[in-house]
Amino acid sequence: KPLVADADCDVVICAPFVDLQAALDATEGSNIKIGAENCHWAESGAFTAEVSAPMLKAMGVPYVIIGHSERRQYFGETVNKRVRAALDNGLKVILCVGEVLEEREQGVTFEVVGMQTKIALQGVTAEELENVIIAYEPVWAIGTGKTATADQADEVNGYIRQVIAELYGKDAADAFVVQYGGSMNAKNADELLS
């Protein structure tokens, strides 16, 4: 907590469901916010083991990650429904988008990331967009030790901002938060953050 007490940005830790209460307790009174790693699209129903957006809201969890590549790949994630559920319950969404290595090598990164962004934000109003952050996380750079260069990350982040401008206008795009994630570490953080 002392290391980020004077941070001039939002500080968010997204923890597994079983650790959310401990994380909330540990960060109480600090500038650190807690997020969940996912939420279900339905408020209730026969969805054993799923955690709904109202459950997260009731706990006091303000953020949720939606559309992480592993959720898309292994579980066929229904991203737009989850975004809608989170926003309808007052949560801030960290929306993950990104291409696999084969898509990057085939030169379709923009098409893939643009499609993921547009589908996920379908039905999201300009006002609601203020509660969305997009995290560009190329699948080929998550936990692989490979990292996008600063130029690659900047290029795709810029394209995402262009898509937001097309959907919501330049002012919304200029105010929108787009961030990079994927094998960031102490050695490459300065370059990527620049």
Side-chain angles (χ1 to χ4, degrees), residues 80-98:
N80 180 254
K81 285 183 178 182
R82 292 171 195 268
V83 167
R84 185 75 265 148
L87 292 173
D88 287 346
N89 283 278
L91 301 178
K92 294 183 184 298
V93 172
I94 301 170
L95 172 63
C96 298
V97 298

Side-chain angles (χ1 to χ4, degrees), residues 135-189:
Y136 168 54
E137 296 190 305
V139 180
W140 51 270
I142 299 174
T144 63
K146 295 180 181 179
T147 308
T149 65
D151 288 342
Q152 289 172 320
D154 192 49
E155 179 183 44
V156 179
N157 283 1
Y159 178 72
I160 291 167
R161 195 170 303 284
Q162 181 182 324
V163 170
I164 296 299
E166 291 170 12
L167 297 173
Y168 298 97
K170 184 178 182 330
D171 289 345
D174 288 346
F176 190 73
V177 176
V178 182
Q179 63 187 33
Y180 171 80
S183 296
M184 186 182 243
N185 58 49
K187 292 179 182 176
N188 62 27

